[in-house]
Amino acid sequence: MSAPRNVEELEIVGYANVLDRSVLPSIVPPVFRLKADTSRAFLPPYSFNAGYLCNATEVAGPELDQLLDSEEITLFEGVLPARNGFELWVDQSYECHYQPFDEVRQQLGRIAREAIEQAAAALREGDLPRAERLAGVAISADDRRVEPLAIKAAIRRTQGTTQGERLMAELAAPVLEEGLFGRLVDQYCASQPRSTPAALPVGSRRPMHGMATLKAA
Amino acid sequence: MNRLHRETNLDDLCRRLEDYSRANLLAVPAQMSKMAKRLSESLYLAHSTTEARFGTICGSGCLTSADLQAAHRGKPLSPTRTEVVMGTSDSVFFYVAPFRYPNTGCGFLFSATLESEYTDRSVATPFDSGGLVNRLTRPDPTEPVREFLARHELPVPEHRSYLGLSMDVLFDKPEDYMKGTDPGWPGPVGLTGGDQRRWTHEVRIPYRVFLRGRHLQAVFAPRAWVAADSRIEALFEWCAGEDVERIVFDTPTSNDFAALSRECLAYIRRTLY
């Protein structure tokens, strides 16, 4: 553990993660280094207290290259001056943003809202892959929202994957009671276009199929 | 190095622990305490990783060595990479402890029975082998790092007998090993510096370890990642059908490792105490 460091003495050289597109946007923990001695870098886990970076793991510059090579960190081409009360996040096109905490929450909240609306629209149009991708964006942007879980549950129900639907209900359970979640899923399912039932193969037709509709001779 | 050599190392290390306790007037119990016995015999094998790699692992269905990952990427490993320096790039790594690899947010716990499937081919050490490269200081810095490692490679699962003994002799109480509290006495290995991984047992299994088998005990991931990544979702669905514990958690402060560690400790306390 390194001694506490004033955030103003630090700059950001990257972040301690390598992100897959499926989990963007995402808040990421910065990799810091000392402005005055660029050979000293600081990695998570760490905490912030009154403008100080505390309990970080200090590594030497060459170790960053090893971590990059083992795909544990992502390094920028340039550097960003570190600021107290700021957070680093990566958007859906892998672009990095460093903004005050409240602004980040607002931005991510907006992305989540828009993605939920678009996912619901895609669901109404029967475009399940697009609905699933957008629900993923919404979950990544704001994991407190329950609608994207319900959209994914509706997709799983449509696909006939009961386990997948149940898993989404479990994930939503801390936020929404099971019955209410089920009703939300019902609504999303009902919003989907009704598909024409596919014709059964001849061999699988039930023997009594259509008999009741035949007129008596 | 063959198994016989590792058995000799274990005998030697146990003897060194006895000498160490005599020299420091430490009491060596005639019989291992109940807690040390239970923890040392049943502590899980823990492998934690970053979220991005976790998705890939869930998708592929196995943990793989750095060599296999490099072959998959079609790019050789850098000669400065820790596993290459240590000659361990053909291994999958586990701690016999809660998750201790920092900056990770997801993980797998395997039951101790996994070791019995690899008794001839896997290796244990009473410390994190990767730490020897940059973080830990050896008692004799002139001894080549690979020689130091070779002298401390122990047989699997018998290394757990040394683990139990050291829990009783070196730690104030056996739970301290699990909680990550430093031992009151450093012990005969003689490493200094670094963190808890200096005394955490490591197990290395060659090439790959499949997830969908009878040894997988529990899977840990942030709630959002399970919902967002269909590969993780698919593994969690499989786990539900196989009675493998699924631990999902929130990461409100975006410090995933703190949340992961907390959940893992709670799970171990719930199942092993």
Side-chain angles (χ1 to χ4, degrees), chain B residues 4-20 148 150-155 162 165 188-189:
Chain B
L4 187 64
H5 201 134
R6 296 196 285 271
E7 285 169 359
T8 311
N9 282 350
L10 179 61
D11 289 343
D12 178 54
L13 191 58
C14 289
R15 234 187 335 267
R16 283 160 59 198
L17 181 59
E18 281 168 24
D19 294 345
Y20 181 89
F148 182 86
R151 277 200 301 119
H152 290 89
E153 288 185 339
L154 309 176
Y162 175 78
L165 198 59
V189 177

Coordinates of all heavy atoms in Angstrom, one line a residue, chain B residues 4-20 148 150-155 162 165 188-189:
Chain B
L4 N 8.1 -36.7 -6.6 CA 9.0 -37.1 -5.5 C 9.8 -35.9 -5.0 O 9.9 -35.7 -3.8 CB 10.0 -38.2 -6.0 CG 10.8 -38.9 -5.0 CD1 10.0 -39.6 -4.0 CD2 11.9 -39.8 -5.6
H5 N 10.2 -35.1 -5.9 CA 11.0 -33.9 -5.6 C 10.1 -33.0 -4.7 O 10.6 -32.4 -3.8 CB 11.5 -33.2 -6.9 CG 12.6 -32.3 -6.7 ND1 13.7 -32.3 -7.5 CD2 12.8 -31.4 -5.7 CE1 14.6 -31.4 -7.0 NE2 14.1 -30.8 -6.0
R6 N 8.9 -32.9 -5.1 CA 7.9 -32.0 -4.4 C 7.7 -32.5 -3.0 O 7.5 -31.7 -2.1 CB 6.6 -31.8 -5.2 CG 6.8 -31.1 -6.6 CD 5.5 -30.6 -7.2 NE 4.7 -31.7 -7.7 CZ 4.7 -32.1 -9.0 NH1 5.6 -31.6 -9.8 NH2 3.9 -33.1 -9.4
E7 N 7.6 -33.8 -2.9 CA 7.4 -34.5 -1.6 C 8.6 -34.2 -0.7 O 8.4 -33.9 0.5 CB 7.1 -36.0 -1.7 CG 5.7 -36.3 -2.2 CD 5.5 -37.7 -2.7 OE1 6.5 -38.5 -2.6 OE2 4.4 -38.0 -3.1
T8 N 9.8 -34.2 -1.3 CA 11.0 -33.9 -0.5 C 11.0 -32.5 0.0 O 11.3 -32.2 1.1 CB 12.3 -34.2 -1.4 OG1 12.1 -35.4 -2.0 CG2 13.5 -34.1 -0.6
N9 N 10.5 -31.6 -0.9 CA 10.4 -30.2 -0.5 C 9.4 -30.0 0.6 O 9.7 -29.2 1.5 CB 9.9 -29.3 -1.7 CG 10.9 -29.0 -2.8 OD1 12.1 -29.3 -2.5 ND2 10.5 -28.5 -3.9
L10 N 8.3 -30.7 0.6 CA 7.3 -30.6 1.7 C 7.9 -31.1 3.0 O 7.8 -30.4 4.0 CB 6.1 -31.4 1.3 CG 5.0 -31.4 2.4 CD1 4.5 -30.0 2.6 CD2 3.8 -32.3 2.0
D11 N 8.6 -32.2 3.0 CA 9.3 -32.7 4.2 C 10.2 -31.7 4.8 O 10.2 -31.4 6.0 CB 10.0 -34.0 3.9 CG 9.1 -35.2 3.7 OD1 7.9 -35.0 4.0 OD2 9.5 -36.2 3.1
D12 N 11.0 -31.1 3.8 CA 12.0 -30.1 4.2 C 11.3 -28.9 4.8 O 11.8 -28.4 5.9 CB 12.8 -29.7 3.0 CG 13.9 -28.7 3.3 OD1 14.7 -28.9 4.2 OD2 13.9 -27.6 2.6
L13 N 10.2 -28.4 4.2 CA 9.6 -27.2 4.7 C 8.9 -27.5 6.1 O 9.0 -26.6 7.0 CB 8.5 -26.8 3.7 CG 7.9 -25.4 3.9 CD1 8.9 -24.3 3.9 CD2 6.8 -25.1 2.9
C14 N 8.4 -28.7 6.3 CA 7.8 -29.0 7.6 C 8.9 -29.0 8.6 O 8.7 -28.5 9.8 CB 7.0 -30.3 7.5 SG 5.5 -30.2 6.6
R15 N 10.0 -29.6 8.3 CA 11.2 -29.6 9.2 C 11.6 -28.2 9.6 O 11.9 -27.9 10.7 CB 12.3 -30.4 8.6 CG 12.8 -31.5 9.5 CD 14.1 -32.2 9.0 NE 14.3 -32.2 7.6 CZ 13.9 -33.1 6.7 NH1 13.2 -34.1 7.1 NH2 14.2 -33.0 5.4
R16 N 11.7 -27.3 8.5 CA 12.1 -25.9 8.8 C 11.1 -25.2 9.7 O 11.4 -24.4 10.5 CB 12.2 -25.2 7.4 CG 13.5 -25.6 6.7 CD 13.5 -25.2 5.2 NE 13.2 -23.9 4.9 CZ 12.8 -23.4 3.7 NH1 12.6 -24.3 2.7 NH2 12.6 -22.1 3.5
L17 N 9.8 -25.6 9.5 CA 8.8 -24.9 10.4 C 9.0 -25.4 11.8 O 8.9 -24.6 12.8 CB 7.4 -25.3 9.9 CG 6.2 -24.7 10.7 CD1 6.3 -23.1 10.7 CD2 4.9 -25.1 10.1
E18 N 9.3 -26.7 12.0 CA 9.6 -27.2 13.4 C 10.8 -26.4 14.0 O 10.7 -26.0 15.1 CB 9.8 -28.7 13.4 CG 8.5 -29.5 13.3 CD 8.8 -30.9 13.0 OE1 9.9 -31.4 13.3 OE2 7.9 -31.6 12.4
D19 N 11.9 -26.3 13.2 CA 13.1 -25.7 13.7 C 12.7 -24.2 14.0 O 13.2 -23.7 15.0 CB 14.2 -25.7 12.6 CG 14.7 -27.1 12.4 OD1 14.4 -28.0 13.2 OD2 15.3 -27.4 11.4
Y20 N 12.0 -23.6 13.2 CA 11.6 -22.2 13.3 C 10.8 -22.0 14.6 O 11.1 -21.1 15.4 CB 10.8 -21.7 12.1 CG 10.3 -20.3 12.2 CD1 11.1 -19.3 11.6 CD2 9.1 -19.9 12.7 CE1 10.7 -17.9 11.6 CE2 8.7 -18.6 12.7 CZ 9.5 -17.6 12.2 OH 9.1 -16.3 12.2
F148 N 14.7 -20.6 -6.3 CA 13.9 -20.4 -5.1 C 12.5 -21.0 -5.2 O 12.0 -21.7 -4.3 CB 13.8 -18.9 -4.7 CG 13.0 -18.6 -3.5 CD1 13.7 -18.6 -2.2 CD2 11.7 -18.4 -3.5 CE1 13.0 -18.3 -1.0 CE2 11.0 -18.1 -2.3 CZ 11.6 -18.1 -1.1
A150 N 11.6 -23.4 -7.3 CA 11.7 -24.9 -7.4 C 11.8 -25.5 -6.0 O 11.3 -26.6 -5.7 CB 12.8 -25.3 -8.3
R151 N 12.5 -24.8 -5.1 CA 12.8 -25.4 -3.7 C 11.5 -25.4 -2.9 O 11.4 -26.0 -1.9 CB 13.8 -24.5 -3.0 CG 15.2 -24.8 -3.3 CD 16.1 -24.3 -2.2 NE 16.1 -22.9 -2.0 CZ 15.7 -22.3 -0.8 NH1 15.3 -23.0 0.2 NH2 15.8 -21.0 -0.7
H152 N 10.5 -24.5 -3.3 CA 9.3 -24.4 -2.6 C 8.0 -25.0 -3.3 O 6.9 -24.8 -2.8 CB 9.0 -22.9 -2.2 CG 10.0 -22.4 -1.2 ND1 11.2 -21.9 -1.6 CD2 10.0 -22.5 0.2 CE1 11.9 -21.5 -0.5 NE2 11.2 -21.9 0.6
E153 N 8.3 -25.7 -4.3 CA 7.1 -26.4 -5.0 C 6.7 -27.6 -4.2 O 7.6 -28.5 -3.9 CB 7.5 -26.7 -6.4 CG 7.5 -25.4 -7.3 CD 7.7 -25.6 -8.7 OE1 8.3 -26.7 -9.1 OE2 7.4 -24.7 -9.5
L154 N 5.5 -27.7 -3.9 CA 5.0 -28.7 -3.0 C 3.9 -29.6 -3.7 O 3.3 -29.2 -4.7 CB 4.3 -28.1 -1.7 CG 5.1 -27.1 -1.0 CD1 4.3 -26.4 0.1 CD2 6.4 -27.7 -0.4
P155 N 3.8 -30.9 -3.2 CA 2.8 -31.7 -3.9 C 1.4 -31.3 -3.6 O 1.1 -30.8 -2.5 CB 3.1 -33.1 -3.3 CG 3.8 -32.8 -2.0 CD 4.5 -31.5 -2.1
Y162 N 0.9 -28.7 5.3 CA 1.7 -27.6 5.8 C 0.9 -26.3 6.0 O 1.1 -25.6 7.0 CB 2.8 -27.2 4.7 CG 3.6 -26.0 5.1 CD1 4.6 -26.1 6.1 CD2 3.3 -24.8 4.5 CE1 5.3 -25.0 6.4 CE2 4.1 -23.6 4.9 CZ 5.1 -23.7 5.9 OH 5.8 -22.6 6.2
L165 N -0.7 -26.7 9.5 CA 0.3 -26.5 10.5 C 0.6 -25.1 10.7 O 0.7 -24.6 11.8 CB 1.5 -27.4 10.1 CG 2.5 -27.7 11.1 CD1 1.8 -28.5 12.2 CD2 3.7 -28.5 10.5
P188 N 9.2 -19.9 8.1 CA 10.5 -20.3 7.6 C 10.8 -20.0 6.1 O 11.9 -20.1 5.7 CB 10.5 -21.9 7.8 CG 9.0 -22.2 7.7 CD 8.3 -21.1 8.2
V189 N 9.8 -19.6 5.4 CA 10.0 -19.3 3.9 C 10.9 -18.1 3.8 O 11.8 -18.1 2.9 CB 8.7 -19.1 3.2 CG1 8.9 -18.8 1.7 CG2 7.8 -20.4 3.3

